[in-house]
Amino acid sequence: MLTCFIRYHIDPTKKAAFEEYARNWGQAIPRCGANLFGYFSPHEGSTTLAFGVYSIENLAAYEAYRDRLAADPLGRENYKFALSEKFILREDRTFLKLASAPHATGEENK
């Protein structure tokens, strides 16, 4: 399993547009086959840093997922929305694998 962390630098005056974009991905990403943890917008501290986090089985599954997302009506509209509104200043993707498993259950401290 791979987890994709998307780091966004957004225009702080367009936070509401980013949040609309995030809600749209909240519908399209799971429908297209990825396990969405969520999209996160600035709250305290940085006003320009936002994240999207989802997991996918492997890079081959990621490629198929990206094709489905590009063909999805809401996915297409969301890409267009981001381009037209220009609230994303920079976007970086990093794929990581979980290295800390297995995690403790907390039962061993009782």
Side-chain angles (χ1 to χ4, degrees):
M1 184 68 68
L2 297 175
T3 301
C4 180
F5 290 82
I6 308 170
R7 184 172 79 177
Y8 296 95
H9 289 270
I10 64 170
D11 179 335
T13 66
K14 298 181 178 182
K15 180 180 164 187
F18 177 81
E19 290 176 346
E20 180 179 342
Y21 174 81
R23 285 188 298 275
N24 290 338
W25 285 140
Q27 302 303 307
I29 288 173
R31 181 172 55 236
C32 291
N35 179 24
L36 181 63
F37 292 97
Y39 269 71
F40 303 87
S41 66
H43 181 68
E44 289 291 328
S46 173
T47 60
T48 61
L49 194 57
F51 292 90
V53 183
Y54 63 89
S55 63
I56 195 103
E57 186 178 346
N58 54 44
L59 289 176
Y62 171 73
E63 293 301 326
Y65 152 78
R66 293 285 293 184
D67 289 343
R68 287 189 299 275
L69 198 59
D72 183 85
L74 182 56
R76 282 195 312 269
E77 286 303 312
N78 218 26
Y79 285 127
K80 288 178 189 175
F81 175 60
L83 289 173
S84 70
E85 296 299 315
K86 298 181 179 12
F87 51 86
I88 298 173
L89 306 176
R90 181 175 168 181
E91 179 178 335
D92 299 305
R93 276 184 176 68
T94 301
F95 291 88
L96 302 173
K97 66 178 183 172
L98 181 64
S100 62
H103 295 154
T105 62
E107 293 297 317
E108 48 282 325
N109 293 326
K110 293 182 180 179

